[in-house]
Amino acid sequence: MEQKNNAVTFEIIFAGRSNVGKSTLLNKLTGQNVRTGKRPGVTLKPIHLYFDDFLITDMPGFGFMSGVTKEKAEDVKNNIVRYIEDHAGRIKMAVQVIDGPAFLEIVERWDARDEIPIDLELHSFLLEMNILPVVAVNKMDKVKEEEINDMLDQIALKFGYAAPWKESGLLLAPVSARDDQIRPLTSTLKNEIHKMRRDDLFKYFR
């Protein structure tokens, strides 16, 4: 394990709230079998997929976790921050997964309490660490087609970018892991990896 860690030069992490579909999306993207579950908070420690000098890490979900105390949930959040800080030199990209249909309501609920939503706080933190965030808007199968662009515009605005979302500068990938509709994320990742001159990593994505 130590040899594998020492060999890693390029890491992509998957991060986001509990139960947004991070692990399922990762499985669809790579063809691997990362553990998933119906209960929020199944993943409590980082899960690693090693490919030579390339590493994909499924981070624990933050926020509500079924059967987990508030103290434990806070520990998980702190451990996520610590992991990112400790490995920022090799973490080139982060796939920040959000629940598209629920995201705006969650953010507005936090805003109403004059608190910074965790998703937005994480996004800012990734940028501070010079890690490129790609926001995967999951569960798009639950959104009516005629409402998609307006919803994505609103999401871009909440992240502090301008609308329309396709011109905002935010890397936004609307996907549905459940329906295998992940091409926008695959294309975005490959495009950014190409810019980093690591086309050799394409083979690890389906």
Side-chain angles (χ1 to χ4, degrees):
M1 187 61 68
E2 186 176 349
Q3 285 182 331
K4 286 184 177 181
N5 273 313
N6 290 337
V8 173
T9 62
F10 194 112
E11 182 175 3
I12 296 176
I13 63 171
F14 277 65
R17 288 180 174 275
S18 301
N19 217 31
V20 295
K22 294 190 313 304
S23 301
T24 301
L25 185 57
L26 194 159
N27 287 344
K28 299 291 186 181
L29 184 71
T30 64
Q32 301 297 310
N33 188 25
V34 173
R35 181 187 177 197
T36 63
K38 294 183 179 180
R39 289 190 304 106
V42 167
T43 306
L44 294 178
K45 294 181 179 180
I47 296 175
H48 302 295
L49 297 176
Y50 290 93
F51 307 93
D52 297 324
D53 74 325
F54 177 43
L55 173 63
I56 299 179
T57 300
D58 185 17
M59 301 299 295
F62 50 78
F64 172 73
M65 300 178 190
S66 179
V68 175
T69 65
K70 288 184 178 180
E71 291 77 12
K72 179 62 176 177
E74 189 65 24
D75 284 345
V76 169
K77 179 184 172 184
N78 291 336
N79 287 339
I80 292 171
V81 171
R82 191 174 301 112
Y83 181 92
I84 294 173
E85 289 176 337
D86 289 346
H87 301 95
R90 73 185 193 192
I91 301 174
K92 308 302 182 184
M93 303 171 66
V95 177
Q96 185 178 355
V97 186
I98 64 173
D99 180 333
F103 178 78
L104 294 173
E105 180 184 345
I106 292 171
V107 169
E108 288 167 5
R109 195 161 61 231
W110 280 68
D111 284 342
R113 300 196 300 259
D114 290 326
E115 296 177 352
I116 301 174
I118 299 178
D119 303 274
L120 306 188
E121 187 177 19
L122 173 63
H123 192 81
S124 296
F125 176 63
L126 291 169
L127 292 173
E128 289 173 8
M129 293 287 104
N130 293 315
I131 296 169
L132 180 66
V134 176
V135 179
V137 187
N138 197 18
K139 306 186 182 182
M140 293 301 295
D141 54 294
K142 298 181 180 180
V143 182
K144 295 179 181 178
E145 187 173 352
E146 63 270 20
E147 297 175 355
I148 289 177
N149 278 324
D150 181 62
M151 187 189 80
L152 295 176
D153 285 348
Q154 294 301 315
I155 289 174
L157 289 169
K158 290 297 183 183
F159 274 101
Y161 297 77
W165 68 274
K166 289 183 179 180
E167 303 170 15
S168 67
L170 173 65
L171 295 176
L172 209 59
V175 296
S176 174
R178 188 179 69 172
D179 291 347
D180 283 343
Q181 300 299 319
I182 64 168
R183 184 178 296 275
L185 177 59
T186 306
S187 298
T188 300
L189 290 177
K190 286 185 175 180
N191 186 52
E192 297 306 318
I193 289 171
H194 173 70
K195 292 178 183 178
M196 299 176 188
R197 301 183 178 181
R198 287 301 308 265
D199 290 13
D200 58 297
L201 302 182
F202 289 2
K203 62 188 176 187
Y204 299 118
F205 300 107
R206 294 178 67 183

